Amino acid sequence: MPIKLIAVDMDGTFLNNQQDYDRRWFQELYPQLQAQGIKFVVASGNQYYQLRSFFPEIASQLAFVAENGAYVVEAEEEVFCGELAAETIQEVLAELANYAEVHTLICGKNSAYVQDGEDPTFIQHASRYYHRLTTVANLRDLPEDTLFKFALSTTVANVEPLIASLSAKFAGRITPVSSGHGDVDLIIPGIHKANGLKRLQAHWQIADEEVAAFGDSGNDLEMLQHAGFSYAMANAQPAVKASAKTIIASNQEQGVLQQIEKILAETNQEHIPS
């Protein structure tokens, strides 16, 4: 089946290690995607407001599966917004207090929140991914908002033990996933990138077999398993490479744009009369 939807993770996938992409090349490819009726979806663990900033000229046209699927927006219209139970939030905060090496954000529709007194290096790191970041006196007492995700930062070596510990403690209530570089997201069970794509597919009447997905980290696994065409970056985590149907060039080599160009060429070839 032809590809009708392309979903790209950002960090480590669409973006290079300098947090950018070949904008001129993409500006050449995007009108071709539009002409072929192929939807372009940004699917990331990052905040919607940060993701928009990468596409200033066309953000109002795009669909975003942000916050690992907890917040889905199409053409600036909200499609879905998840919500963590208040009781779960308090229980998770109590548990995280036992991990001195873990830094914590709570993510909501209006903003992400960090506690006053957090490590300034962590706050600086977080502000790159959360353009709306509010400092509060206590994470247990936040402004009114719809809260849907925890974003944790720890050492790379501590990621797997942390995921195992929190998975055992909160089975069925939160799902810990790796988002690369020592970061771990705690998401609502079943509310992941694939779930966000399904909501957009239903709106656009696009089958799973017509979806192409690109990723590199643990929070991309459901999306890659869901898509008819799945691509792991050369720099992807081993589990991601094992899950994808195809391994392509790295994020540093603009592997996503290379593959989109191939997809467009194949689509154009299909449309040439025999």
Side-chain angles (χ1 to χ4, degrees):
M1 296 183 82
I3 291 172
K4 294 185 180 179
L5 188 160
I6 291 174
V8 301
D9 170 55
M10 292 295 281
D11 297 310
T13 301
F14 191 74
L15 300 178
N16 59 29
N17 295 344
Q18 291 71 48
Q19 292 289 296
D20 206 352
Y21 62 98
D22 190 326
R23 294 174 186 250
R24 180 176 296 180
W25 192 359
F26 180 71
Q27 287 168 2
E28 293 173 0
L29 296 177
Y30 181 66
Q32 298 178 51
L33 292 174
Q34 289 181 297
Q36 296 295 343
I38 300 173
K39 301 289 187 180
F40 181 81
V41 178
V42 178
S44 170
N46 295 342
Q47 189 182 57
Y48 167 65
Y49 306 102
Q50 185 248 16
L51 297 175
R52 284 181 56 95
S53 72
F54 287 107
F55 305 94
E57 296 87 1
I58 59 170
S60 62
Q61 305 171 22
L62 297 180
F64 296 87
V65 176
E67 307 278 10
N68 280 327
Y71 192 49
V72 182
V73 176
E74 185 215 347
E76 301 186 320
E77 294 292 327
E78 181 180 306
V79 174
F80 172 76
C81 183
E83 185 170 14
L84 280 166
E87 178 182 345
T88 300
I89 292 171
Q90 295 300 323
E91 290 180 12
V92 170
L93 286 172
E95 177 66 15
L96 292 175
N98 298 320
Y99 299 85
E101 72 282 8
V102 174
H103 305 285
T104 303
L105 292 182
I106 299 181
C107 308
K109 178 179 175 180
N110 298 328
S111 180
Y113 302 93
V114 63
Q115 188 160 300
D116 189 27
E118 254 291 6
D119 180 357
T121 303
F122 168 66
I123 295 176
Q124 183 179 18
H125 169 76
S127 66
R128 294 172 58 192
Y129 304 98
Y130 296 89
H131 286 191
R132 291 190 182 182
L133 182 61
T134 304
T135 301
V136 295
N138 194 324
L139 287 177
R140 291 180 174 275
D141 185 21
L142 297 179
E144 185 173 346
D145 199 351
T146 302
L147 305 174
F148 40 54
K149 194 188 81 176
F150 283 81
L152 312 180
S153 183
T154 186
T155 63
V156 173
N158 195 41
V159 166
E160 291 306 322
L162 179 64
I163 287 176
S165 176
L166 295 177
S167 294
K169 179 77 175 181
F170 296 102
R173 290 188 290 165
I174 60 167
T175 300
V177 295
S178 165
S179 53
H181 309 292
D183 294 332
V184 174
D185 287 346
L186 309 183
I187 63 176
I188 303 167
I191 306 301
H192 41 59
K193 294 182 184 182
N195 183 71
L197 289 182
K198 289 177 186 177
R199 293 176 184 275
L200 293 171
Q201 287 173 239
H203 179 60
W204 293 327
Q205 296 185 317
I206 293 175
D208 299 350
E209 295 78 13
E210 298 170 317
V211 174
F214 297 78
D216 75 303
S217 295
N219 61 346
D220 298 314
L221 286 171
E222 292 90 353
M223 178 172 73
L224 295 174
Q225 292 161 358
H226 165 74
F229 299 83
S230 55
Y231 302 95
M233 313 307 293
N235 53 285
Q237 296 171 0
V240 178
K241 289 181 177 179
S243 179
K245 294 183 175 70
T246 306
I247 298 173
I248 60 173
S250 73
N251 65 320
Q252 283 292 83
E253 301 169 283
Q254 300 292 319
V256 173
L257 295 182
Q258 289 186 36
Q259 190 60 39
I260 289 176
E261 192 165 71
K262 292 177 183 178
I263 290 169
L264 285 166
E266 291 168 2
T267 303
N268 288 332
Q269 189 66 31
E270 290 172 1
H271 290 166
I272 296 174
S274 55

